Amino acid sequence: MPLSAILPDLSPWRSTRDFRLLWVQGLVTYFGSFMAMVALPLQIKELTDSPLAVGAMGAVELVPLVVFGLYGGALADAVDRRKVILLSEAALGLLAVVLLVNALLPSPLLWPLYVVAAGVSALAGLQRPALDSLMARIVPHDQLTAAAALNSFRWNVGAIAGPSLAGLVVAYAGHASAYAVTVVGFTVSVLLCTRLSPAPAAHDAEKPSLKGLAEGARYAWSRPVLLGTYAVDMAAMFFAFPNTVFPFLADELDAEWSLGLMYAAGAVGSLLLGLTSGWTSRVRRHGLLVVFGAAGWGLAITAAGWFANVWVVLGCLAVAGAGDMLSGLGRSTIWNQTIPDELRGRLAGIEVLSYSVGPQLGQVRAGAAAGWTGTRSAIWSGGVACVASVAVLAAALPRLISYDATTDPDARLRRARDATRATATATP
């Protein structure tokens, strides 16, 4: 097999200026965000020494994510998506400033950490539908899987570098230094967002409303394939998202130095899969990617909780990350291939909930279970529950397993609409 057959497909990067801008902007944002992602729970751990207090971040973030994720989806269909991305990115930068100021206090306060966590969740819910729906508009239909792979590669680079460096920065320079890097990252990101092309809503788009949200929800409910992608991801993340207990796992394994590596290990596995993702552009049964990837994630998390050698644990977390990316490629491709543009923002809001609510609730589950049964048992038992739930859902939703991009009616209709729009744009 030639090397070009497995290397990432760079077609979206070559063909679309806005894709290149968003790719670089996302890389900068992820780097800074992951620095804060490690520093914030570690700071709560140092202030409270409680797994439940760290896991409570998930509960604090849940309601803002649900409310603003749904509203952000309706907003993305009604206004210029570039403005939503730009303004929310600027607001996220201001919250990073709050973390920095609090960390510089002689005695940092606990409550601002939860307030900022809730604010970040709200803004992420508001912004993500605009980002996701914009991607489906600027990338040609036949390049959507390649774009998803490149975006995952970008995320993984940030997820590896950010947490790995954050562990060192926090250990040797303190939380304030990690938050300062986050502030700089958002500043650069805002500047890049200002260069994006306008992405106005359709001229007949309705204002955000409960009626519009209900329309999007009805569409999702009527599509078993979409429901399957949501359900599988939420189940996998709820039962097997152990990140919140990593600080305690590192202590239990007598490897405090490994904390940043634990946060980064999943991204290493995802990155390795991304570097060999060229074959995914030729896959047509994307539902199988969703199911097999989620099951692989659960099996690897089970092993990570079972073994006591830190290097074996890190290897298991890397395998889990590869499984998660495989499932994510399948989900992203199905969403972008089947959902009409006029509903893309609202459905993207539902998608935000599907892949964000699970981890938030998973943090609460993992923190509570670790407090009751111990850290390692909380991890491996969640992995077992993940595999079981994915198997049940796969059996209950056969349309997800049988999805084929070449024959699915919604995918064929979306492909025809994209071709018509491209022809109209090219005609003088």
Side-chain angles (χ1 to χ4, degrees), residues 205-295:
E206 299 179 1
K207 293 182 179 180
S209 65
L210 292 177
K211 179 182 177 181
L213 291 175
E215 182 184 0
R218 283 195 299 270
Y219 181 89
W221 186 257
S222 68
R223 299 309 194 266
V225 174
L226 291 180
L227 288 179
T229 64
Y230 302 151
V232 168
D233 189 46
M234 289 186 69
M237 293 298 104
F238 173 73
F239 289 114
F241 190 77
N243 291 29
T244 194
V245 298
F246 281 169
F248 302 92
L249 179 62
D251 288 347
E252 190 169 316
L253 297 179
D254 195 26
E256 292 83 358
W257 53 268
S258 69
L259 177 59
L261 296 179
M262 287 182 181
Y263 282 111
V268 171
S270 296
L271 179 63
L272 292 176
L273 183 66
L275 289 173
T276 57
S277 63
W279 61 274
T280 61
S281 294
R282 299 184 293 278
V283 171
R284 296 294 176 264
R285 300 285 299 278
H286 300 101
L288 291 176
L289 297 185
V290 174
V291 171
F292 288 151

Side-chain angles (χ1 to χ4, degrees), residues 307-334:
F307 290 105
N309 182 284
V310 65
W311 292 108
V312 176
V313 170
L314 291 172
C316 291
L317 293 175
V319 174
D324 186 44
M325 180 178 176
L326 188 65
S327 183
L329 286 177
R331 293 194 308 272
S332 178
T333 303
I334 289 173

Side-chain angles (χ1 to χ4, degrees), residues 352-397:
V352 167
L353 302 187
S354 79
Y355 58 68
S356 299
V357 170
Q360 304 306 330
L361 292 176
Q363 290 187 80
V364 179
R365 186 213 67 83
W372 295 333
T373 66
T375 301
R376 290 172 59 198
S377 62
I379 295 173
W380 69 256
S381 62
V384 171
C386 167
V387 176
S389 63
V390 170
V392 170
L393 288 169
L397 296 165

Side-chain angles (χ1 to χ4, degrees), residues 8 23 27 148-158 270-271 274-275 325:
W23 196 94
L27 178 62
L150 290 174
N151 284 338
S152 295
F153 174 81
R154 172 195 64 184
W155 185 91
N156 292 322
V157 170
S270 296
L271 179 63
L275 289 173
M325 180 178 176

